[in-house]
Amino acid sequence: KDPAFVAKKAHGAFPMLETEDGKIIFESVAIAAYFCRQGAPDMMGKNAFAAASVNQWCSFATCSLDSILRGIVYNVFGFADNAALYDDSISKLGPHLAMINKHLAGKEWFAGASMTLADIVMFGSLSVIMTFTVGAEQQKLIPNVCAWYNRMRVVDAVVETCGLYKLAAEPFVIAGTSVKLNCAPVAAASADRKSTRL
């Protein structure tokens, strides 16, 4: 609450980084990108397309996935008690995981031939979901996501920083919820709905 410190963090949130020359960067992905550019520039993509892909997946994680994941994770850990929000978030998560699975077909990493910041950010976003929400039956529908997740979770730096994450055997059930996760490809799920109506 020191006024000088509050003035520095004008955005009012953490994390923030103050560089040696007094410049301020906030938002965790921006801070991580700054450190990558300082010491491991290949983590930002080895060519223009890979660099754009890194930006794409980091933006996807923070802009498209974050609100969905909060609706799930906050309920899983008891920070919220909102079954309707949880159900809505679960219904939105499945198509996103199916799309990610399609992207990872034939790929080991999100952007290029080696691990980048995109993988780190996506792992940070999906780690709790894969541990608590995506049970074995749904994992069968997203094998590329699971292969990538298993590759990431045993990287030494990931284990040292985050601990050892595992895949869920059974999804964690929230009391009062009714929606089940569906990771089927969107086109197939849509075809199933059409045939059910006939």
Side-chain angles (χ1 to χ4, degrees), residues 74-96:
Y74 284 11
N75 278 279
V76 166
F77 288 119
F79 300 127
D81 184 16
N82 187 332
L85 175 62
Y86 181 86
D87 280 347
D88 182 58
S89 298
I90 287 290
S91 69
K92 292 175 180 173
L93 177 63
H96 282 307

Side-chain angles (χ1 to χ4, degrees), residues 41-173:
D42 284 353
M43 291 289 287
M44 296 304 297
K46 293 185 178 182
N47 57 48
F49 185 83
S53 295
V54 169
N55 290 338
Q56 168 189 286
W57 289 107
C58 289
S59 293
F60 175 77
T62 56
C63 298
S64 298
L65 277 182
D66 188 65
S67 62
I68 294 170
L69 301 181
R70 286 176 191 266
I72 297 169
V73 172
Y74 284 11
N75 278 279
V76 166
F77 288 119
F79 300 127
D81 184 16
N82 187 332
L85 175 62
Y86 181 86
D87 280 347
D88 182 58
S89 298
I90 287 290
S91 69
K92 292 175 180 173
L93 177 63
H96 282 307
L97 290 176
M99 180 274 293
I100 294 167
N101 189 68
K102 184 176 180 181
H103 169 75
L104 287 171
K107 300 180 179 77
E108 291 190 4
W109 309 102
F110 270 89
S114 59
M115 185 174 67
T116 65
L117 182 61
D119 298 287
I120 293 170
V121 171
M122 288 298 290
F123 184 81
S125 294
L126 296 176
S127 54
V128 173
I129 296 299
M130 298 301 288
T131 303
F132 287 95
T133 308
V134 185
E137 286 302 310
Q138 293 303 310
Q139 290 166 25
K140 293 174 186 174
L141 299 174
I142 52 169
N144 304 320
V145 174
C146 293
W148 164 83
Y149 177 82
N150 281 326
R151 193 175 302 114
M152 278 295 295
R153 72 183 185 84
V154 295
V155 171
D156 288 344
V158 173
V159 175
E160 288 171 12
T161 305
C162 305
L164 183 60
Y165 279 86
K166 297 181 179 179
L167 285 165
E170 295 292 332
F172 187 82
V173 179

